[in-house]
Amino acid sequence: MDVVVTGLGVLAPFGRGAERTFEALVAGRSAVGRITRFDASEQRSRIAAEVRELEAGADLSAADLRTYDRFQLFALLAALDAVRDAGLGDGPLGDRAAVVLGAGIGGLETIERNHEALREKGPRRVSPYFIPSAIPNLAASLVAMRVGALGACISPASACASGAHAIGEALWALRAGRADLVLAGGTEAAVTPLGVAGFGAMRALSERNDDPARASRPFDRGRDGFVIGEGAGVLVLETAAHAAARGARVRARLAGYGATADAHHITQPDPEAAGMARAMARALEDARVSPADVGYVNAHATSTPLGDRLEAKAIRDLFGDRPPPVSSTKSALGHLLGAAGAVEAAIAVLALERGLLPPTLNQEDPDPQIELDVVPNEARPAGLRYALSNAFGFGGTNATLLFAGS
Amino acid sequence: MSGKQKAGSGNGGGNGVGGRVVGVVARVMNAEAETLAPELRFVEDLRADSLRVMELVLELQEEFGIDIPDSALDQIRSVGDAIEYVRGKLTAG
């Protein structure tokens, strides 16, 4: 059973709108800057790709802004945009509609704020909204409430692969006939003192603090860690029959999904990169597509020394000597953690639609260990039928999505 | 709503205890302060759920530096109740 993408919603550091994000990417802009949301002066990494626009308006009330965590608000906006993009109207979506929307962490800012209240003022000063605003699945639930989706409502938590797993699991649910339509994606808002300190403690973040726009440089020899970002991405997925019956515009087909585990280490990827390669291979097998038909890979590549090299190895192991063009849009967007896989899935759909590959920025000193065409620095027109999008998470969890042009 | 008894004027002035309580209620309940007549009840009239009422109690404690025991919740069901309760607490304290 074919599953199609009929709506895209992205709230990213470039602002609201999937097209807006894509256009900024192909223009070669960077969303990375100094951290403004808190005093980061003592952090190892003092740079981030922050969402700057989050105001009360038609879709969010002042009460929403005061009550819910940013990761939940991001998800609401992305989901509403996706629903509108799909032409679904304002009515309830009903019991054949599901929400599968993941987060890697959840309401970290909420946790920090309430812990501060606990320590400074005691347990009776913890907010009654602390738990609902902190737990990861409340993003999915708020979306379900807003759009009247009465089917399954769940939140995969697989770190930086959460958004991609959500989309892949939605594909399986649609094929199994468990729903006709799924709002699927991921959301994250971990640009907080504790979040940045935690990733910093692992030495996972770039410390190129004086040059934010050039800090995220996946595949480049000067890469020194990822730049943390925040945002949300949501796709409207439907069975092809359901989309056709309501006359929906099909933006792409979600053709395949591969999910694997390294079963190797809590944070380090398997040095053989076998789990990554198997995720990509499974996605292709799932769709009965051969590697030669893939015209673009949106890489997970976060700009860490080891991770990028291993993903490049996995791509070479699967595709051989002539791999397709590969770019990492994290070079411009930063790493949106649990939202990354979903936002990058939307980017892959737009790349297919427009026949245009977004570049990998900051390619100045190619790493000889990375034998890939990384679409350096400038967008490139390309006719393509299939695009892969990779997302890998701590815990050694890997997800690959395969999209086909409509 | 009658509107004849405005919270700010009917309960002792915008900058006094009554006005400050109304300000907290307005913020928590996402309502306009001038519409918050004292007889309005949080749950029935302002459509607050139980979490919102708990949040209101928390914010009143913060605003006035007082403790409001759970046993007092039954007495604080409306804007006027809240003003009266906080005034009593501040007088007693």
Side-chain angles (χ1 to χ4, degrees), chain A residues 66-67 121 124-125 129, chain B residues 27-28 52 55 62 67:
Chain A
R66 219 167 38 76
T67 304
K121 298 171 183 171
R124 288 168 178 270
R125 297 298 166 93
Y129 287 98
Chain B
R27 192 173 73 240
V28 171
R52 199 60 82 190
E55 186 193 19
E62 290 283 304
D67 282 321

Side-chain angles (χ1 to χ4, degrees), chain B residues 69-89:
Chain B
D70 287 354
S71 58
L73 291 180
D74 281 352
Q75 304 167 47
I76 308 177
R77 292 168 176 260
S78 69
V79 177
D81 290 350
I83 294 168
E84 191 180 329
Y85 183 86
V86 170
R87 280 210 178 116
K89 265 297 221 209

Side-chain angles (χ1 to χ4, degrees), chain A residues 109-193:
Chain A
E109 186 176 61
T110 295
I111 294 170
E112 290 175 40
R113 198 170 53 238
N114 281 277
H115 186 248
E116 203 170 294
L118 173 74
R119 296 295 299 265
E120 288 181 1
K121 298 171 183 171
R124 288 168 178 270
R125 297 298 166 93
V126 169
S127 168
Y129 287 98
F130 161 50
I131 297 292
S133 301
I135 54 181
N137 71 301
L138 250 290
S141 293
L142 286 170
V143 168
M145 283 175 229
R146 194 67 72 94
V147 302
L150 304 176
C153 183
I154 56 172
S155 301
S158 53
C160 302
S162 301
H165 276 125
I167 293 167
E169 297 297 316
L171 171 66
W172 283 351
L174 287 162
R175 282 182 184 162
R178 293 186 181 140
D180 293 330
L181 182 151
V182 185
L183 302 187
T187 182
E188 203 78 84
V191 184
T192 71

Side-chain angles (χ1 to χ4, degrees), chain A residues 223-312:
Chain A
R223 67 192 186 274
D224 74 325
F226 75 82
V227 171
I228 192 169
E230 58 178 0
V234 174
L235 273 53
V236 175
L237 303 173
E238 303 177 56
T239 62
H242 187 263
R246 68 180 191 88
R249 173 188 55 157
V250 172
R251 301 195 67 160
R253 189 161 55 83
L254 176 54
Y257 168 47
T260 65
D262 286 359
H264 169 71
H265 186 270
I266 56 169
T267 58
Q268 290 168 12
D270 167 11
E272 295 304 316
M276 297 177 186
R278 279 189 300 115
M280 287 184 274
R282 293 266 171 87
L284 294 174
E285 288 159 12
D286 188 32
R288 297 193 178 84
V289 166
S290 89
D293 290 329
V294 174
Y296 171 59
V297 179
N298 187 295
H300 178 68
T302 64
S303 189
T304 61
L306 185 62
D308 295 9
R309 181 167 62 73
L310 290 173
E311 185 174 7

